Amino acid sequence: QKEVEQNSGPLSVPEGAIASLNCTYSDRGSQSFFWYRQYSGKSPELIMFIYSNGDKEDGRFTAQLNKASQYVSLLIRDSQPSDSATYLCAVQNTGGFKTIFGAGTRLFVKA
Amino acid sequence: SQTIHQWPATLVQPVGSPLSLECTVEGTSNPNLYWYRQAAGRGLQLLFYSVGIGQISSEVPQNLSASRPQDRQFILSSKKLLLSDSGFYLCAWAGTANSPLHFGNGTRLTVT
């Protein structure tokens, strides 16, 4: 079993719709969870982090964490063509020094 | 504010040649430092991380090595490159345990 799993996609949504990205992880002791956005040929940039169960909102982005189900998700409201990128889910292991990444989900937002 | 510098941006090297990639961080002290590799169309693979000068943890057996000669300097090296070493190499820093990573612009390495 992979440590962090994501659907590779591609996920295609129309402009203005909600994009829903999902991620599961295997280390039950994980404490910190992150979502990064990576444009083609560029390095990843942090868009959200979440440490506690529940929802965390930042502008058009909402991260959701359910530690009992070992599940993290990212919702992007009012999706824009500029949101088209690969979204990487990242989980820090117990101890907090190693960050493990999923393979990423490619999102396409159609104008 | 903190900044991370990574160079070179692109590199083409023949098989069997040595490698040295350098990364420096400014604006913070005692950062945790990381090297990741991303093969084409794949996720990020953690190669090495360091929590202090001279302290290196290796995650994947390979012909690469890392060193941290100064607090904010992290170097990735190889004595002899393999074709399979091609990829996008990313240096990152974090302020403390459980903090998010911040990435440099990356080095795209092609081994021919």
Side-chain angles (χ1 to χ4, degrees):
Chain A
Q1 180 189 10
K2 293 182 181 178
E3 295 181 79
V4 180
E5 295 205 50
Q6 297 181 252
N7 187 325
S8 62
L11 173 65
S12 184
V13 300
E15 184 175 0
I18 296 175
S20 178
L21 306 164
N22 305 314
C23 171
T24 58
Y25 60 94
S26 60
D27 182 356
R28 283 196 168 275
S30 299
Q31 298 295 319
S32 307
F33 307 87
F34 309 93
W35 284 98
Y36 289 81
R37 177 175 61 199
Q38 186 177 26
Y39 292 112
S40 180
K42 302 296 185 182
S43 60
E45 55 179 328
L46 178 71
I47 53 174
M48 288 287 291
F49 60 89
I50 186 167
Y51 300 137
S52 304
N53 278 329
D55 295 358
K56 179 181 178 183
E57 186 174 319
D58 183 1
R60 296 186 297 113
F61 299 98
T62 299
Q64 300 174 316
L65 174 62
N66 184 326
K67 290 185 178 180
S69 300
Q70 296 173 250
Y71 176 87
V72 192
S73 66
L74 179 71
L75 300 178
I76 306 175
R77 290 181 299 281
D78 187 25
S79 295
Q80 301 297 308
S82 59
D83 294 327
S84 298
T86 296
Y87 288 80
L88 302 170
C89 173
V91 177
Q92 280 189 343
N93 70 326
T94 305
F97 289 111
K98 289 169 49 177
T99 301
I100 306 301
F101 285 79
T105 298
R106 293 182 66 190
L107 172 67
F108 291 104
V109 181
K110 299 174 293 184
Chain B
S1 64
Q2 301 88 358
T3 56
I4 178 169
H5 303 280
Q6 189 180 343
W7 66 93
T10 59
L11 192 59
V12 180
Q13 293 285 96
V15 168
S17 63
L19 173 73
S20 180
L21 302 180
E22 188 165 342
C23 171
T24 59
V25 180
E26 296 178 356
T28 187
S29 297
N30 196 30
N32 296 330
L33 296 173
Y34 301 81
W35 279 110
Y36 285 84
R37 177 171 62 198
Q38 187 175 36
R42 305 291 294 277
L44 275 66
Q45 179 187 32
L46 178 61
L47 301 176
F48 301 95
Y49 69 95
S50 171
V51 300
I53 295 174
Q55 299 178 61
I56 308 294
S57 295
S58 175
E59 290 300 303
V60 181
Q62 63 224 327
N63 68 321
L64 300 172
S65 62
S67 62
R68 184 171 178 174
Q70 300 181 43
D71 181 42
R72 290 169 289 176
Q73 183 185 29
F74 205 23
I75 298 171
L76 182 70
S77 304
S78 174
K79 293 182 179 178
K80 290 186 178 182
L81 285 168
L82 307 174
L83 285 174
S84 58
D85 291 324
S86 293
F88 191 37
Y89 287 80
L90 291 156
C91 181
W93 72 273
T96 61
N98 299 311
S99 295
L101 299 181
H102 303 278
F103 288 89
N105 289 332
T107 295
R108 192 162 304 281
L109 172 66
T110 303
V111 182
T112 61

